[in-house]
Amino acid sequence: MIVGASTAGAAAAYTLRAVGHEGPITLVGAEDTAPYERPPLSKTVLTAAEEPEAVWLLPTDTYASRDITLRLGAPVTSVELASGGFSLTIEDREQIAADVVVLATGGRARRPAGLPEDPRIHVLRTWADARALRAHMRTAHRALVLGSGLIGAECAASASAQGLDVEVLEMQTTPFPSIASRAVRTTLLRTFAEHGVRFRTGVTVNNCTPTDDGLVVQLSDGTVLEVDLLVVGIGIEPATELAERAGAATERGVLVDESMRTSVPGLYAAGDVASRRLGGRLIRHEHFASAQAQGEAAARAIAGLEPVPLPTPWAWSDQFSHRLEVPGEPDAADYTRLRQPGDGQIVEFSIADSRLVGLTALDQPRVVREARRLIGGRLRGSANDLERTDVPLKQLVDAP
């Protein structure tokens, strides 16, 4: 049983069949929609001229052709240990037995405490969320976005592209705090300013009052703003409740090993909900590529196959004309080196123990493609050579 019709869930189901698993596979999802790609939700779904359609993770006839039972609109409310496996409860009434369970439940969008329930206040996590926000953007004039992480920044850029007056609130003192490179942050902030998007940093929302004309938002510095819509983009809370009910260890997610096994035999977790210890650090990746790879890893473990090393983490974001890409773990760096070819293009290399551990790149897809194969490799010479644009990266870093 795979709980969560998500990127990780669909990857687990498909891979199980691909590696020869012959037993029954059921993929259960709380949403009414078949598994779809989530990256477009904050980008093309919001900005497309025509009514958008979901981008399916798998052709819709794949589930039947692979003998995968797909149950939608069926939230699992409990997973408990039972004789020989697990007992799952769907919508608090139907019970299903399973030998093995994969939790691919993702997470819930965070909301600041005290924020009222109002249709003009949006989060962006699901297809339904995106469609509601898209419709509201086409009638609104003033938008306030809470958070300048990837989702918040993308929503702000999309709203601005639709002609809205946009302001972004960031509780940290620096915009885009999840981006390790100061040079990249500076360039992005300049681009947002050129499109009229304003930032307020070091402030939070004290109060939000719905009125007939919109929302009156009082900030922690005493400022009062009047807006037509508010988008909350301050991250997610991993949905660990089912794992906890089954007795699995959790810490900022459901703790797993490299094969996505939890502390409970027969129970796996993959995607946004899963956290791992790596080199003394606790990591949890909320990105499409990682979710897909983790679903595949769980399937291989269930099938009794040797684990395949998980690929280098890789996040990307489209903001106005910029393509931001972050492979590896830039936060693990001891120091960095900056390469600026010109025209706003930036690559900041992150180094630890003379090894390339990650990079933050703006509009440098070719360098990123090369670097993704080299992350973890040792530098061949001086780290200062990374600043050169006339030498291929593979001549500066050994393959790991």
Side-chain angles (χ1 to χ4, degrees):
M1 176 77 70
I2 301 169
V3 183
S6 57
T7 300
Y14 183 85
T15 304
L16 276 169
R17 287 290 185 241
V19 299
H21 180 76
E22 296 180 351
I25 300 174
T26 301
L27 179 59
V28 183
E31 294 182 60
D32 294 325
T33 309
Y36 55 88
E37 292 190 11
R38 295 181 187 271
L41 297 185
S42 53
K43 308 177 188 73
T44 55
V45 171
L46 298 181
T47 59
E50 302 297 328
E51 188 69 21
E53 295 184 359
V55 179
W56 307 119
L57 287 168
L58 298 170
T60 52
D61 60 355
T62 300
Y63 303 98
S65 66
R66 297 272 175 163
D67 194 22
I68 298 169
T69 301
L70 184 60
R71 293 196 56 179
L72 302 174
V76 174
T77 53
S78 176
V79 175
E80 297 181 339
L81 298 177
S83 178
F86 301 88
S87 175
L88 291 81
T89 304
I90 295 180
E91 294 187 293
D92 292 325
R93 59 175 184 268
E94 179 186 356
Q95 290 192 321
I96 299 177
D99 299 322
V100 173
V101 173
V102 179
L103 298 177
T105 48
R108 296 173 299 276
R110 290 193 182 102
R111 288 175 63 98
L115 203 63
E117 293 292 334
D118 188 278
R120 294 164 292 189
I121 299 176
H122 298 263
V123 297
L124 187 59
R125 186 67 184 164
T126 68
W127 177 249
D129 292 339
R131 293 196 66 189
L133 178 55
R134 170 190 168 84
H136 197 177
M137 278 186 176
R138 277 148 178 75
T139 61
H141 300 286
R142 300 159 298 171
L144 180 64
V145 178
L146 305 189
S148 61
L150 297 187
I151 294 297
E154 288 172 358
C155 286
S158 295
S160 176
Q162 298 304 300
L164 277 70
D165 179 77
V166 182
E167 191 153 0
V168 179
L169 299 187
E170 173 53 60
M171 67 180 297
Q172 304 295 328
T173 56
T174 301
F176 315 112
S178 64
I179 299 175
S181 168
R182 181 172 65 178
V184 169
R185 293 197 304 267
T186 299
T187 299
L188 287 176
L189 187 60
R190 182 168 59 246
T191 299
F192 275 75
E194 289 169 353
H195 287 82
V197 178
R198 303 179 302 282
F199 281 75
R200 292 178 186 264
T201 59
V203 293
T204 57
V205 173
N206 273 1
N207 188 47
C208 178
T209 304
T211 69
D212 292 340
D213 297 325
L215 301 166
V216 178
V217 183
Q218 183 175 11
L219 308 184
S220 56
D221 64 359
T223 302
V224 176
L225 303 175
E226 297 184 13
V227 298
D228 302 312
L229 71 84
L230 188 154
V231 182
V232 181
I234 56 174
I236 69 166
E237 293 286 349
T240 59
E241 295 83 2
L242 296 179
E244 292 166 355
R245 183 73 176 266
T250 62
E251 186 175 356
R252 288 173 47 203
V254 182
L255 284 171
V256 298
D257 63 12
E258 63 178 0
S259 295
M260 304 296 114
R261 297 184 179 93
T262 74
S263 60
V264 175
L267 182 66
Y268 298 75
D272 294 357
V273 75
S275 60
R276 290 190 301 140
R277 295 195 181 280
L278 186 63
R281 302 170 64 232
L282 185 68
I283 60 173
R284 184 172 60 81
H285 296 296
E286 300 176 6
H287 310 301
F288 177 88
S290 294
Q292 189 171 45
Q294 290 178 16
E296 294 170 357
R300 289 184 58 85
I302 292 168
L305 301 176
E306 289 295 317
V308 174
L310 292 171
T312 298
W314 172 45
W316 70 89
S317 177
D318 294 325
Q319 300 174 23
F320 292 111
S321 60
H322 290 302
R323 174 77 164 188
L324 169 69
E325 295 183 84
V326 186
E329 302 281 355
D331 290 339
D334 295 330
Y335 59 94
T336 63
R337 288 295 181 268
L338 187 64
R339 178 188 293 187
Q340 294 182 282
D343 295 329
Q345 299 173 344
I346 298 171
V347 183
E348 185 162 296
F349 298 97
S350 300
I351 314 299
D353 192 27
S354 297
R355 294 184 182 275
L356 179 66
V357 296
L359 63 148
T360 307
L362 207 59
D363 305 324
Q364 286 282 274
R366 183 175 299 176
V367 174
V368 169
R369 282 196 300 271
E370 188 177 9
R372 288 176 64 192
R373 298 190 294 268
L374 297 173
I375 288 176
R378 185 171 294 277
L379 301 187
R380 290 186 175 182
S382 169
N384 293 335
D385 291 338
L386 293 170
E387 299 176 2
R388 298 177 59 181
T389 60
D390 59 336
V391 181
L393 194 60
K394 63 184 178 182
Q395 295 182 18
L396 304 176
V397 182
D398 288 326

